[in-house]
Amino acid sequence: CRVVAGLVAPARGTVEVAGRPVVPGHPAHGVAMLFQSPRRSVSPRMTLRQAIAEPLELRRRPAARTRRTVDAMADAVGLTPDLLRRRPAAVSDGQLQRAALGRALIGEPQVLLADEVTAMLDPATTASVVALLRERVEEGLTVPTISHDAELLARWCDRPRDRVLALADLTGDAGDGAA
């Protein structure tokens, strides 16, 4: 994920997203990343509103338009207006992960790299987040997902074009000790 996001260089070769080369050290155009730990990816100094709005503010969008967009995104990820005024220390891990998801989606990326996207969520919230991501996939978003939750992946990737790859599929290791 970090290679595709442009955070680190590939061990060899090059990476392209939507036909554009990914330059290590520079954020990849059209790519957002949702990290496993929202406590490490969201500044403790920001309110949830500020965290979600950050990508739009970096683009210097008008404040009124940003506010409306953030309100709509917060609603989409299941955050109430009172939660938007709180800082990360004052919300649960699940609420913070939903804010991080809102921040990742608000820039309308082509690719959302999801590392354990539902690890911090209760079952009901997991279902709503998966439904939101499926909607976005239907609209054209690509969501490579890393997860240890095989049951979730089986339910999430239930369409013919969906694929689930085990780590052994990528490394050539069949898990039997043979090299």
Side-chain angles (χ1 to χ4, degrees):
C1 280
R2 294 176 188 271
V3 172
V4 175
L7 300 176
V8 298
R12 63 179 178 247
T14 60
V15 176
E16 289 185 4
V17 174
R20 291 180 147 169
V22 174
V23 179
H26 301 295
H29 178 75
V31 176
M33 187 159 181
L34 182 59
F35 294 93
Q36 180 176 0
S37 174
R39 299 257 173 232
R40 288 159 99 212
S41 65
V42 176
S43 171
R45 293 179 183 92
M46 291 182 163
T47 64
L48 297 192
R49 173 179 292 287
Q50 291 168 324
I52 294 170
E54 186 177 29
L56 300 178
E57 291 174 352
L58 292 173
R59 295 179 186 169
R60 303 191 188 281
R61 287 189 46 184
R65 184 172 168 205
T66 294
R67 177 172 279 285
R68 288 190 305 271
T69 305
V70 168
D71 288 343
M73 183 56 68
D75 185 57
V77 297
L79 293 174
T80 57
D82 65 302
L83 290 173
L84 294 178
R85 292 187 292 274
R86 297 183 189 177
R87 297 193 191 286
V91 299
S92 71
D93 286 341
Q95 291 164 331
L96 188 56
Q97 185 69 329
R98 285 184 274 154
L101 175 60
R103 179 181 62 189
L105 291 175
I106 205 159
E108 299 178 352
Q110 295 171 306
V111 177
L112 172 63
L113 303 170
D115 182 2
E116 296 288 354
V117 68
T118 60
M120 303 281 182
L121 306 178
D122 61 75
T125 306
T126 293
S128 68
V129 165
V130 168
L132 172 64
L133 288 174
R134 286 185 101 159
E135 269 179 41
R136 296 297 172 104
V137 166
E138 290 301 318
E139 296 168 1
L141 179 66
T142 299
V143 187
T145 302
I146 298 168
S147 181
H148 291 91
D149 190 340
E151 184 180 324
L152 172 69
L153 289 175
R155 284 192 318 247
W156 189 350
C157 301
D158 63 352
R159 296 174 181 143
R161 70 174 184 268
D162 296 337
R163 294 191 319 163
V164 176
L165 298 174
L167 184 56
D169 295 335
L170 300 174
T171 63
D173 178 8
D176 60 3

